[in-house]
Amino acid sequence: MARLIGAASDITLILDSDGVILETAFHSRQLLDALNDSARWVGQTFESVVAPDSRVKTAALMQDAMGHGEPKWRHVNHKATDGRSIPVLYCGVEIGGRGRVMAFGRD
């Protein structure tokens, strides 16, 4: 399963129903290096780790995932440690029926 997820995404986030990041997995060394503060993401909300212009998109991603509708890809920007904006395309899907969301991101 991990290999499949790694092949489909550059970053995977496991979120609770409130959008709090429970786990992160980076499948792209380049993305991990650009966002090297990502180890501190666990325990923060998805909204808080993206650029201000992308915060409304994280809420929409969570709503789509929890609504069991057709998953939609959303362009979200993260701020890199050097100040530049890193665009990541995310899609969220509810997993396990416990209100958890897996967000797949592609750089």
Side-chain angles (χ1 to χ4, degrees), residues 82-106:
D82 63 6
R84 65 192 163 101
S85 186
I86 305 288
V88 178
L89 193 61
Y90 278 101
C91 180
V93 178
E94 186 179 22
I95 56 171
R98 298 178 306 188
R100 300 246 167 115
V101 171
M102 184 175 290
F104 302 94
R106 290 192 226 161

Side-chain angles (χ1 to χ4, degrees), residues 12-52:
T12 306
L13 305 175
I14 305 296
L15 311 162
D16 71 9
S17 60
D18 295 321
V20 174
I21 299 169
L22 303 174
E23 295 180 44
T24 64
F26 282 82
H27 314 289
S28 163
R29 184 68 192 177
Q30 182 180 3
L31 187 58
L32 177 61
D33 289 345
L35 301 170
N36 70 11
D37 64 343
S38 58
R40 294 186 295 233
W41 288 7
V42 173
Q44 296 187 55
T45 62
F46 188 21
E47 177 182 272
S48 71
V49 302
V50 302

